[in-house]
Amino acid sequence: MYKNIEKNVKLKLADQVEYRPGQVVSKTLVQNDKISVTLFSFDKGEEISTHASGGDAMVTVLDGTGRFTIGGEAFLLETGETIIMPQGIPHAVFGEEQFKMLLMVSF
């Protein structure tokens, strides 16, 4: 079920995806019809434009600060903070500074 990550090894999720200048980088850990788990890194100023998800999306910031706009309302999240982006509600993600996040979508 899990891919692209070592098993039976202690690790830090933030270390599993690298920052790249001018890019959003993603690393899929699980993808099936019930759940998607993906790590992301955002360079400062990079974004994922407004879209809606087919499931509830929970994000936990692993490093830095990101801005999440959900249904037109903006939220700044810092390391260790989590937010749920409800299914079908338009949302966007912006790198206020370099940041990394764990995204889990349940369908």
Side-chain angles (χ1 to χ4, degrees):
M1 180 176 262
Y2 281 91
K3 60 184 181 180
N4 301 319
I5 195 166
E6 290 185 75
K7 297 176 184 170
N8 204 31
V9 174
K10 181 179 172 179
L11 51 83
K12 289 185 179 182
L13 288 176
D15 294 342
Q16 301 303 303
V17 63
E18 298 295 322
Y19 289 117
R20 292 193 189 142
Q23 294 185 30
V24 175
V25 178
S26 66
K27 183 176 186 178
T28 301
L29 303 181
V30 176
Q31 183 72 50
N32 60 48
D33 60 350
K34 295 181 182 175
I35 190 165
S36 172
V37 179
T38 308
L39 292 169
F40 285 90
S41 71
F42 288 71
D43 197 14
K44 181 178 180 175
E46 293 301 313
E47 66 181 321
I48 295 175
S49 61
T50 303
H51 64 285
S53 174
D56 287 336
M58 184 172 82
V59 170
T60 299
V61 174
L62 303 174
D63 182 49
T65 303
R67 182 176 72 222
F68 297 80
T69 304
I70 306 167
E73 185 175 358
F75 301 87
L76 281 180
L77 272 71
E78 298 177 347
T79 302
E81 295 181 321
T82 298
I83 196 162
I84 305 281
M85 299 178 289
Q87 175 181 355
I89 303 297
H91 58 272
V93 183
F94 179 80
E96 288 290 322
E97 59 183 50
Q98 282 189 328
F99 88 102
K100 296 178 182 182
M101 69 180 202
L102 174 67
L103 171 67
M104 294 179 284
V105 183
S106 57
F107 302 101

